[in-house]
Amino acid sequence: MKLLAHILGLCLALALTDADHHEHHDHHDHHAHHAADLDRCEGMEMDAVAVNEEGIPYFFKCDHLFKGFHGKAELSNETFAELDDHHHLGHVDAAFRMHYEGQADHDHMFFFLDNKVFSYYQHKLEEGYPKDISEVFPGIPDHLEAAVECPKPECDEDSVIFFKGHEIFHYNVRTKAVEEKEFKSMPNCTSAFRFMEHYYCFHGHMFSKFDPKTGDVHGKYPKEARDYFMRCSKFSDNSDHVERERCSRVHLDAITSDNAGNIYAFRGHHFLRKDEGNDTLKADTIESAFKELHSEVDAVFSYDDHLYMIKDEQLYVYKVGEPHTHLDGYPKPVKTELGIEGHIDAAFVCEHGDGAHIAHFIKGNHIYDVDMKASPRVQKNERPISLFKKVDTAMCGPGGVKVIVGNHFYHFDNVMLFVASRALPEQHRVSLELFGCDH
């Protein structure tokens, strides 16, 4: 209750600050202060959640917005400028992204505030908005609590599901027909969103995965939102570390597989290890196995029975073993040790084949090679990657290269095909197909 009171007080403080907007133009410092108070890792109830056109989730709280799975709050009106013009309370009741090919509103984001709806396309307010909810979505009530898009065949027709208390409305996008449903097994949603073809109902700082047609909740729910949709250093006491890390929707920072085929995957303050020929996963803090690193690595690659770990401008090297041994004299600057500079998004070595001593480094949409046997080591063979503007991480094993972007990975038989490909190969889910998550 203490936390709830704090958040309610905070929203009120933000609202009061916002109400002063037209009288005082120096209120930004107040907002910055309050944004600092909004710590999603403390556990909070979001007002609304929606995924933007690039697949990045936006979490709304009061008149602030969290983009993605980590990072600080920012003012909602910095991204969606007109949200404050009509409603000085500065909150969002519900939000969703219309995602139906062929519809005029495809990829538009809709926000609901009291009795009004705002439609944005590429962060610009559409002409004529805001409008009354009843005009744009006839049959849907005001003061909603949540909304989520539901395309065919996940729903019988291309639909939007609206939530208000116990009332659930399926709105047919094409015919504008409204069907009222009863979702008996689901708690009242304070926000909802569709992510990787699954549907999530948030209630407080917990969430449940539900069937959009029936509202049925299968499996062990509710679960803690911080464990799966945010990158936090501390988790609830009853958090199952392995379950959380294998099923987290937060993108990986780094991944590698060693010569024996064991996979190491790093995210925030934790890492997962999956041993070759064994489906058992182990999860632990980075601090426990790589204490010199502490947490949050940028890139990791395996070479010659060592793990090369890059964090900022520094390189750490560990000999693979039980436990891993940190080599004396490290960390050393990445530039002097590897001959490469600037922020590195991903690194990997294909140890099975002709280029077994070539380390590949990805920075933005370019890839570079470094010969690990050369002295001194220098970056060479720069070439553009046509398929991706940015990757999160990548690894190479006997089967080829796996490139991870967000929650998905793509398989290429070799580095040359990865660099030269013009068409995306089949998309695979990281949590499901790399780590065997069942939800």
Side-chain angles (χ1 to χ4, degrees):
M1 283 305 292
K2 238 171 158 180
L3 179 63
L4 183 62
H6 169 73
I7 290 168
L8 288 171
L10 183 55
C11 271
L12 184 60
L14 288 169
L16 291 172
T17 318
D18 210 42
D20 288 342
H21 177 75
H22 296 285
E23 293 172 48
H24 305 287
H25 293 284
D26 61 348
H27 76 305
H28 201 275
D29 290 342
H30 297 293
H31 276 304
H33 169 72
H34 287 304
D37 286 345
L38 283 172
D39 181 358
R40 54 175 140 183
C41 289
E42 289 292 323
M44 62 168 62
E45 178 181 293
M46 295 296 176
D47 297 329
V49 187
V51 179
N52 77 356
E53 59 274 15
E54 291 170 352
I56 297 166
Y58 284 180
F59 299 87
F60 292 85
K61 182 68 191 173
C62 301
D63 60 353
H64 280 72
L65 161 65
F66 297 96
K67 290 180 178 175
F69 298 104
H70 61 98
K72 297 199 180 328
E74 55 188 75
L75 283 166
S76 307
N77 64 7
E78 287 176 2
T79 303
F80 302 101
E82 299 82 0
L83 280 179
D84 274 353
D85 291 352
H86 300 267
H87 291 254
H88 304 308
L89 183 60
H91 71 288
V92 174
D93 290 331
F96 75 93
R97 173 173 61 114
M98 191 75 85
H99 191 63
Y100 305 116
E101 304 279 354
Q103 284 283 343
D105 291 334
H106 176 63
D107 265 353
H108 287 228
M109 292 188 79
F110 286 87
F111 300 98
F112 299 83
L113 287 75
D114 297 337
N115 63 337
K116 296 290 184 188
V117 57
F118 293 69
S119 172
Y120 283 85
Y121 183 62
Q122 296 179 342
H123 296 171
K124 289 192 177 71
L125 186 68
E126 288 287 283
E127 198 175 326
Y129 282 88
K131 297 180 179 178
D132 288 346
I133 293 172
S134 56
E135 179 188 345
V136 184
F137 298 96
I140 300 302
D142 299 337
H143 300 284
L144 293 160
E145 274 156 23
V148 62
E149 72 279 12
C150 186
K152 278 198 303 192
E154 293 159 28
C155 279
D156 294 332
E157 300 290 343
D158 287 340
S159 306
V160 181
I161 308 172
F162 292 97
F163 301 80
K164 182 172 181 175
H166 291 297
E167 297 175 296
I168 314 291
F169 304 89
H170 273 226
Y171 178 88
N172 185 315
V173 171
R174 191 174 50 81
T175 66
K176 298 187 184 289
V178 178
E179 185 183 354
E180 225 175 308
K181 300 258 190 176
E182 194 176 357
F183 284 2
K184 284 181 180 166
S185 64
M186 201 164 74
N188 288 359
C189 302
T190 49
S191 58
F193 85 139
R194 174 180 180 264
F195 192 66
M196 293 175 68
E197 294 88 52
H198 290 304
Y199 291 79
Y200 299 97
C201 161
F202 291 82
H203 35 100
H205 56 85
M206 308 298 282
F207 74 93
S208 298
K209 193 180 87 164
F210 68 95
D211 181 319
K213 291 181 184 175
T214 63
D216 290 344
V217 174
H218 301 290
K220 294 180 189 167
Y221 289 97
K223 295 183 192 292
E224 168 66 67
R226 284 171 291 182
D227 286 1
Y228 298 91
F229 291 101
M230 293 156 207
R231 189 165 85 178
C232 301
S233 57
K234 294 183 175 65
F235 295 92
S236 54
D237 294 337
N238 58 358
S239 174
D240 177 334
H241 290 308
V242 173
E243 159 80 1
R244 181 194 70 241
E245 290 301 326
R246 84 192 307 171
C247 294
S248 175
R249 305 318 191 225
V250 180
H251 68 74
L252 294 170
D253 295 329
I255 194 168
T256 191
S257 63
D258 63 22
N259 236 344
N262 307 317
I263 293 176
Y264 301 82
F266 300 83
R267 179 192 288 113
H269 296 255
H270 293 77
F271 78 99
L272 266 176
R273 176 174 164 168
K274 182 182 180 186
D275 291 347
E276 172 61 24
N278 184 346
D279 282 340
T280 307
L281 280 91
K282 296 172 188 157
D284 214 332
T285 60
I286 293 173
E287 183 88 30
S288 67
F290 308 98
K291 69 175 187 292
E292 295 80 7
L293 269 172
H294 301 300
S295 67
E296 297 184 355
V297 299
D298 293 328
V300 178
F301 66 93
S302 306
Y303 174 68
D304 193 25
D305 285 328
H306 288 75
L307 293 174
Y308 287 73
M309 309 179 84
I310 297 164
K311 182 181 169 102
D312 300 322
E313 307 294 315
Q314 297 293 308
L315 173 70
Y316 300 73
V317 182
Y318 289 83
K319 181 161 179 53
V320 173
E322 295 289 345
H324 305 300
T325 316
H326 185 239
L327 296 198
D328 285 345
Y330 287 88
K332 295 180 181 177
V334 171
K335 189 175 179 206
T336 57
E337 286 296 290
L338 298 173
I340 194 158
E341 57 185 318
H343 177 77
I344 294 165
D345 293 315
F348 60 91
V349 173
C350 298
E351 292 194 82
H352 308 79
D354 298 339
H357 52 90
I358 303 296
H360 306 279
F361 296 89
I362 299 173
K363 297 193 294 185
N365 64 346
H366 282 76
I367 188 167
Y368 307 80
D369 293 348
V370 172
D371 185 342
M372 294 297 288
K373 287 186 173 175
S375 183
R377 294 171 179 147
V378 291
Q379 74 172 40
K380 56 185 184 180
N381 199 17
E382 177 186 354
R383 54 256 196 240
I385 301 164
S386 59
L387 285 177
F388 306 104
K389 288 181 190 165
K390 185 181 183 303
V391 307
D392 289 315
T393 183
M395 69 175 176
C396 190
V401 182
K402 286 185 174 63
V403 178
I404 298 177
V405 182
N407 295 275
H408 295 99
F409 71 88
Y410 305 86
H411 179 89
F412 300 88
D413 288 342
N414 54 50
V415 179
M416 194 179 79
L417 283 174
F418 160 50
V419 176
S421 286
R422 293 288 182 271
L424 268 182
E426 187 183 350
Q427 193 179 67
H428 301 273
R429 291 185 190 173
V430 172
S431 56
L432 176 69
E433 294 174 70
L434 274 187
F435 303 131
C437 174
D438 60 358
H439 66 82

